[in-house]
Amino acid sequence: MINVGVLGATGAVGQRFVQLLAEHPWFKLTTLTASERSAGKLYRDVVKWRLDVPFPESIGTIRVSPTSVSSLKDVDLVFSALPAEVAKETETACANAGLAVCSNASSHRMEPDIPLVVPEVNPDHLALIDVQRDHGRDGFIVTNPNCSTIVMTLALAPLRGFGFHSIHVATMQAISGAGFEGVPAMGIYDNVIPYIGQEEQKMETETLKIMGTFEQKTVRPAAYRVSASCHRVPVIDGHTMAMWVDIQEPVEKVKEAFIRYKPPIKGLPTQPKESVHFMDDPDRPQPRLDRNRGNGMTVSVGRLREGIRFIAMGHNTIRGAAGASVLNAELISSKKYL
Ligand code: A2P
């Protein structure tokens, strides 16, 4: 077992890390950190645990540590659910101190020597870990993309062979993506918020890095044009997106590609049986019905029409955040980087 910690363990994504790591077959969760407000207290006393997920009692008695390298003496790997502004410095300090860092924060995603990985889409980009080591780092940072970008790139992965160039996407994003205190209840119910800070830019840039080509110790970005419009809707979990991709092939051929898709990885504990699930029903996928498919790790795709147009939906705090990062850690571990 590898001892692991979670940075920012009391937040919306931090809780999901705790949920996924409490019974993990390869990783033993020993350390939880948060802000000075929570440090020194028992996890069960400071976390506002979600009502719809059973609380892992064994973790509840861990005393929350301050977020600093000195709190992480007995771990080899840390998962970061820190706010971006705190993550930048803290994650760098952890990696420089020899730790492996799997981060859900956006701060380091676009740095040239930091892998931005969705294991089913670009597992080969982990080779950037060697580049970080060439740069003199004892540990390393591996990031996962923004939640919407993960759902979108997984939906695009089966279609790569069609050689598309242009992607248009309109998202309908859940409120859990904004963090526990993120969206006031009085602002979101009976409403749609037509703006999510930085989200469109992240979808438009991160996608090119993830779907780019690793060559000569660097990633050459994919030559796609991505145009995104992002919106917050009153759904608790599950980001839904309408997508338009410039594929000229008939719908039947595209459907075949979704159904036959096999990702280039296997045997990782958090990996779902199906990374992408194709649905023929005219009114699916829906967040309430489909977000927990594959323990929240499967992206569901449906309403495939000429154009090519379709709907993709995935669990934003599991597939789009903590689960993505845990799957990255499993891939790293299976490749003997730890
Ligand atoms: P705390 O609960 O003590 O504030 P969310 O984005 O859902 O609000 O979660 C943010 C997470 O990051 C929480 O665990 C929060 O801890 C932690 N956090 C916020 N600010 C800091 C900080 N300045 N230093 C360390 N941890 C922080």
Side-chain angles (χ1 to χ4, degrees):
M1 293 285 263
I2 296 163
N3 282 358
V4 303
V6 175
L7 310 176
T10 50
V13 172
Q15 286 187 35
R16 288 294 192 186
F17 273 118
V18 170
Q19 178 193 338
L20 296 172
L21 293 167
E23 307 271 333
H24 197 280
W26 298 358
F27 305 137
K28 183 171 166 45
L29 182 55
T30 61
T31 306
L32 304 172
T33 84
S35 75
E36 291 297 336
R37 289 182 291 279
S38 314
K41 300 179 181 142
L42 296 184
Y43 186 63
R44 66 170 179 230
D45 294 339
V46 284
V47 70
K48 290 183 190 143
W49 193 261
R50 294 175 57 115
L51 301 174
D52 56 343
V53 177
F55 184 65
E57 296 298 339
S58 60
I59 307 295
T61 52
I62 295 180
R63 202 165 285 283
V64 175
S65 306
T67 300
S68 68
V69 174
S70 56
S71 304
L72 301 165
K73 289 203 181 78
D74 77 330
V75 307
D76 295 313
L77 165 67
V78 284
F79 294 94
S80 171
L82 291 170
E85 61 282 6
V86 186
K88 192 159 183 79
E89 225 176 276
T90 308
E91 292 174 3
T92 303
C94 289
N96 288 343
L99 289 166
V101 181
C102 284
S103 174
N104 181 61
S106 60
S107 347
H108 295 285
R109 285 180 191 150
M110 296 308 290
E111 286 170 26
D113 62 352
I114 303 239
L116 178 62
V117 173
V118 179
E120 291 96 328
V121 181
N122 60 337
D124 57 315
H125 291 198
L126 276 190
L128 285 175
I129 290 175
D130 297 320
V131 179
Q132 288 182 60
R133 285 180 170 157
D134 289 350
H135 291 168
R137 228 175 214 169
D138 284 339
F140 56 84
I141 301 172
V142 171
T143 57
N144 57 266
N146 154 274
C147 43
S148 311
T149 311
I150 294 179
V151 174
M152 181 167 84
T153 52
L154 275 163
L156 290 172
L159 311 182
R160 268 174 149 171
F162 293 118
F164 53 83
H165 292 101
S166 163
I167 303 148
H168 289 79
V169 58
T171 69
M172 291 147 271
Q173 299 186 212
I175 54 179
S176 56
F180 198 87
E181 311 279 356
V183 182
M186 287 298 281
I188 191 69
Y189 285 103
D190 189 28
N191 209 2
V192 171
I193 311 286
Y195 171 71
I196 305 175
Q198 301 291 309
E199 195 80 358
E200 291 157 1
Q201 188 199 345
K202 286 176 187 167
M203 291 189 84
E204 290 170 3
T205 54
E206 292 177 8
T207 303
L208 309 187
K209 180 170 177 181
I210 301 156
M211 302 195 82
T213 313
F214 181 80
E215 54 186 27
Q216 309 214 339
K217 301 191 172 192
T218 182
V219 171
R220 182 164 51 84
Y224 302 152
R225 210 165 42 78
V226 183
S227 175
S229 185
C230 296
H231 320 102
R232 188 81 67 195
V233 296
V235 165
I236 293 180
D237 289 310
H239 286 357
T240 306
M241 49 200 73
M243 295 179 59
W244 293 256
V245 187
D246 64 332
I247 294 173
Q248 312 309 329
E249 302 290 336
V251 168
E252 275 310 307
K253 254 183 117 173
V254 177
K255 176 177 165 180
E256 271 299 298
F258 278 126
I259 291 170
R260 288 175 184 273
Y261 173 65
K262 290 266 176 298
I265 54 162
K266 58 176 185 217
L268 304 179
T270 302
Q271 185 184 349
K273 270 205 200 86
E274 281 181 302
S275 298
V276 179
H277 176 77
F278 181 79
M279 309 190 80
D280 244 339
D281 316 50
D283 60 353
R284 302 281 280 278
Q286 294 180 23
R288 281 174 68 183
L289 299 177
D290 299 308
R291 63 190 165 208
N292 290 325
R293 177 167 289 112
N295 291 324
M297 290 297 285
T298 297
V299 167
S300 301
V301 169
R303 295 219 59 224
L304 178 62
R305 288 152 288 153
E306 297 290 347
I308 286 293
R309 292 169 282 174
F310 56 89
I311 306 289
M313 197 284 306
H315 198 304
N316 55 301
T317 55
I318 299 184
R319 176 78 246 197
S325 206
V326 171
L327 194 58
N328 274 348
E330 292 169 0
L331 182 67
I332 290 163
S333 196
S334 74
K335 301 269 182 218
K336 309 287 179 222
Y337 280 110
L338 287 178

